[in-house]
Amino acid sequence: RYALKLGETLEALRQLATHDPLTGLLNRREFDRILAEESERAVRFGDPLALVLLDLDHFKRINDRHGHPAGDAVLREVSRRLVAQVRSVDRVLRLGGEELALVLVQTDRAGARRVAERACAAVRAEPVAVDGTPGLEVTVSAGVAVLPDDAATPAALVTAADQALYAAKAAGRDRVVVASETGRPAPGA
C-alpha cells in the first residue's frame, strides 16, 4: 500500500520535473537532454536530425487584448495542434513563453520543411476558441535547422534554427525559413 503511494508520488514528481504544467508538453530541461541524446544517436548512425523552433506571432497582443487566461488557452490549443502534426517518435516541447520546439528524428531538410509548413498551416487553419471571446486568429513563425547539414553540435543546431526563426519573423511572420536560406554561415559546421 505504501509502495503504491510512493510510486505514485515519484511519478508525480517526475511529471512535474519534465513537463510544462500549462501545456503538458516536455519542458526546457527535457529539450536539452533529448537534443543531446538524439544528436549523439544521429551522429552515431549517420542519420539527420531536424530542429524546428516555433514562436507564436504577436502573442503579447493576445495577452494584452484578451488577458492571460486567453493566452494560456491559445498556448494549450497550439500545443495540441502541433502534437497532431508529428510522428510518435518526434518530440514537441515548450521552451518557455510562446516558444515551442519540434525535434524530428531521422528527418532531412526537405522533410523538416514539410513538417514545419504543416504545423504552421494547422495553427492558422482555424481560429482558437477562447471562453468569452470570438475565435482568435493565431499564426506561428518557424525556423528549421538540420544536423549535420546546418550545424555540427546541438548548441550550433539551436543557434541555426533560432537564426532561421528570426529571419521568418523579419520576413513578415507566419512562415517557415530553413537555416540554409538565411544567407548566414552555418554555426559550428
Side-chain angles (χ1 to χ4, degrees), residues 12 23-24 27 35 55 59 66 74 77 81 92 100 119 133 148 158 165 171 179 185:
T23 62
N27 64 21
L35 192 61
D55 195 75
F59 186 68
H66 304 283
V74 166
E77 178 59 20
R81 291 179 190 185
V92 182
L100 305 159
T133 64
V158 171
L165 172 60

Side-chain angles (χ1 to χ4, degrees), residues 74-161:
V74 166
L75 279 168
R76 282 190 295 270
E77 178 59 20
V78 167
S79 298
R80 187 194 65 75
R81 291 179 190 185
L82 294 177
V83 168
Q85 299 306 311
V86 299
R87 304 167 298 180
S88 61
V89 296
D90 298 323
R91 305 295 178 85
V92 182
L93 307 100
R94 181 174 182 205
L95 301 182
E98 68 273 13
E99 191 170 30
L100 305 159
L102 310 177
V103 176
L104 310 173
V105 299
Q106 297 178 331
T107 304
D108 63 13
R109 186 179 285 140
R113 175 190 285 284
R114 281 191 302 274
V115 171
E117 288 174 349
R118 198 170 61 232
C120 289
V123 170
R124 167 186 340 106
E126 183 178 330
V128 176
V130 176
D131 290 339
T133 64
L136 301 175
E137 301 288 334
V138 179
T139 61
V140 293
S141 298
V144 176
V146 177
L147 186 130
D149 300 343
D150 300 314
T153 67
L157 187 64
V158 171
T159 298

